[in-house]
Amino acid sequence: MPNAQSLSALSTLQISLPLPPVVKPVCSYKSIQSIFSSLAPSHPFSPSQIPAPQQQPATMTAPIPILFSLLFLLLCQASALELSDRPTLMYGTLWSGGGGAMTEHSKDVTAELVYKAIKSGFRHVDTACQPRHYNEGGVGDGWTAAARDLDLRREDIWIQTKFTGLNAHDPISRPYDANAPLEDRVSQSLEKSLDSLKTDYVDSWLMHAPEKSWDNHWKIWNTMESAVDEGKVRQLGISNFYKLEDVQWAYDHSRIKPKVLQNSFHAKSGHDVEIRAFCKEHDIEYQSFFTLTSNNEAYRHRDVVELAKEKGLTPEGLFFAFCMAIGISPLVGTTNELYMKDAIDLMDRIRSGEQIFVNSEELAIVGNALGTPEWNTEDEL
């Protein structure tokens, strides 16, 4: 890192550079000022003297520290890279616990929570075209409102939804014609998603669960592949596949390979040790839902709680960090805005290069608390 003396010398240089087009840095302008101040607190050039980006002309010639210029430009560039970074924390949208269609109150809450999540810093949102439990319209209202207030573009938000089979829907709220051919139901579901989510494409589209026959599986998957060909979908994936042989078959015989596998990360499935190894080998992102509720005994274990204190994290935060350390992208379904911000703070620490777990022994403290017989910390690394 440059010292204060070298920074002082740089500040006397005149530089002329074109400013980038209007892009959104990962952090705010004030945050960048704060970063610069921490790098060179004794520097004679005060960051407060630097005009905010919207006040700058198309080019500028000023005694501005080159380091600050490069830092600002790099952070602007980072917004385009951040969405592709894996693993990550994703916001899982609120779903109804009832058997029927969601109430108007639930719809309003969905929009509010998605708005707060994006305002807190989440950029990945997961939902499903299953009105019985999810409200895609609320997700659409929430992300567009947040994008408007934060001046974000569609490509700054990563949206994932799912096609859900007929038997998983409530008859009063099906998003497609139940009497239509299966391929048409898949297409109708996607069109419903695009309309509700207020977008002309989705970043990721999953098959919500396995079908009863492979014949139906391929009817669905081939239709989903066509949506990728048409530019309506960026990538495909599968969900609730808990048999390794099914995952392998779905992968080996597909034209467009699944890029996501989303499962519940729990002890009943042995924490998907073999499936996750397959995902890692084939560049498939493993996403987990019910990550905390399925493992509350693990993250509440006294050794895990003690380690969390040492790391300045809540036990829940440490468990999310553990999941990411072994390659899992957890869904965060909190309705608490403070917990949302805690999750983003954790992401910031990890993305800044901090090693939450400094060695395999620390990682094993959480891994051993899972109680999975096949668990081997060294295999996970």
Side-chain angles (χ1 to χ4, degrees), residues 6 54 74 110 120 126 140 143 155 174 219 310 351:
S6 63
Q54 63 266 30
L74 286 171
T110 297
S120 297
D126 173 83
W143 88 257
E155 54 266 35
R174 290 174 182 143
K219 287 180 180 179
E310 294 177 14
R351 292 286 168 83

Side-chain angles (χ1 to χ4, degrees), residues 107 110-111 127 134-142 193 195-198:
K107 293 178 182 178
T110 297
T127 186
Y134 294 84
N135 174 23
E136 287 185 310
V139 175
D141 290 340
S193 291
D195 181 64
S196 299
L197 294 169
K198 296 177 172 56

Side-chain angles (χ1 to χ4, degrees), residues 21-41:
V22 178
V23 291
K24 284 295 164 187
V26 173
C27 55
S28 67
Y29 186 75
K30 289 183 178 179
S31 298
I32 301 173
Q33 287 184 329
S34 175
I35 293 171
F36 183 79
S37 297
S38 67
L39 289 175

Side-chain angles (χ1 to χ4, degrees), residues 259-272:
K259 298 298 292 182
V260 169
L261 171 61
Q262 185 185 105
N263 276 355
S264 178
F265 183 64
H266 57 67
K268 291 181 180 179
S269 63
H271 291 98
D272 283 346

Side-chain angles (χ1 to χ4, degrees), residues 25-316:
V26 173
C27 55
S28 67
Y29 186 75
K30 289 183 178 179
S31 298
I32 301 173
Q33 287 184 329
S34 175
I35 293 171
F36 183 79
S37 297
S38 67
L39 289 175
S42 61
H43 195 275
F45 188 89
S46 171
S48 63
Q49 298 172 8
I50 303 172
Q54 63 266 30
Q55 297 172 321
Q56 295 171 335
T59 61
M60 61 181 177
T61 303
I64 175 174
I66 292 177
L67 176 61
F68 182 87
S69 303
L70 295 176
L71 179 61
F72 178 77
L73 291 172
L74 286 171
L75 287 172
C76 288
Q77 295 278 340
S79 63
L81 301 174
E82 188 181 51
L83 293 183
S84 63
D85 289 348
R86 296 292 186 272
T88 190
L89 291 176
M90 309 176 64
Y91 189 67
T93 54
L94 181 70
W95 63 310
S96 167
M102 296 185 77
T103 65
E104 288 301 318
H105 172 70
S106 296
K107 293 178 182 178
D108 292 341
V109 170
T110 297
E112 178 184 356
L113 291 176
V114 171
Y115 176 86
K116 289 180 177 179
I118 294 176
K119 289 272 284 189
S120 297
F122 281 94
R123 292 296 179 266
H124 299 77
V125 181
D126 173 83
T127 186
C129 191
Q130 187 188 24
R132 181 179 189 172
H133 295 308
Y134 294 84
N135 174 23
E136 287 185 310
V139 175
D141 290 340
W143 88 257
T144 52
R148 181 176 60 250
D149 290 353
L150 296 174
D151 196 20
L152 297 173
R153 302 160 299 177
R154 168 63 183 88
E155 54 266 35
D156 296 322
I157 307 294
W158 192 91
I159 300 175
Q160 175 174 274
T161 190
K162 308 174 189 75
F163 165 77
T164 305
L166 186 62
N167 293 335
H169 287 289
D170 189 291
I172 66 174
S173 60
R174 290 174 182 143
Y176 47 71
D177 181 1
N179 297 315
L182 181 53
E183 295 90 340
D184 291 348
R185 287 181 238 157
V186 178
S187 298
Q188 291 171 18
S189 178
L190 178 59
E191 292 305 318
K192 178 68 174 178
S193 291
L194 295 175
D195 181 64
S196 299
L197 294 169
K198 296 177 172 56
T199 180
D200 56 4
Y201 72 93
V202 292
D203 297 275
S204 185
W205 192 26
L206 311 186
M207 183 187 295
H208 209 160
E211 289 292 310
K212 291 183 178 180
S213 72
W214 282 107
D215 182 55
N216 281 348
H217 173 96
W218 294 119
K219 287 180 180 179
I220 293 171
W221 192 261
N222 292 340
T223 306
M224 295 174 72
E225 288 177 326
S226 296
V228 176
D229 297 335
E230 295 166 4
K232 296 179 179 180
V233 176
R234 299 291 172 85
Q235 70 175 29
L236 301 177
I238 54 180
S239 181
N240 292 296
F241 277 62
Y242 294 99
K243 295 181 179 179
L244 177 60
E245 58 268 29
D246 289 347
V247 176
Q248 291 174 321
W249 185 267
Y251 182 89
D252 290 342
H253 295 83
S254 57
R255 175 172 63 88
I256 297 178
K257 306 299 183 184
K259 298 298 292 182
V260 169
L261 171 61
Q262 185 185 105
N263 276 355
S264 178
F265 183 64
H266 57 67
K268 291 181 180 179
S269 63
H271 291 98
D272 283 346
V273 171
E274 293 182 341
I275 287 176
R276 288 187 294 103
F278 180 88
C279 289
K280 187 178 297 184
E281 181 182 353
H282 293 86
D283 193 29
I284 300 172
E285 180 188 16
Y286 182 95
Q287 300 172 359
S288 63
F289 62 90
F290 294 162
T291 310
L292 295 179
T293 55
S294 296
N295 298 282
N296 50 25
E297 291 185 5
Y299 71 78
R300 291 173 180 169
H301 190 283
R302 62 178 182 275
D303 293 340
V304 176
V305 171
E306 186 63 31
L307 181 61
K309 290 179 181 178
E310 294 177 14
K311 302 296 181 179
L313 292 168
T314 63
E316 295 87 347

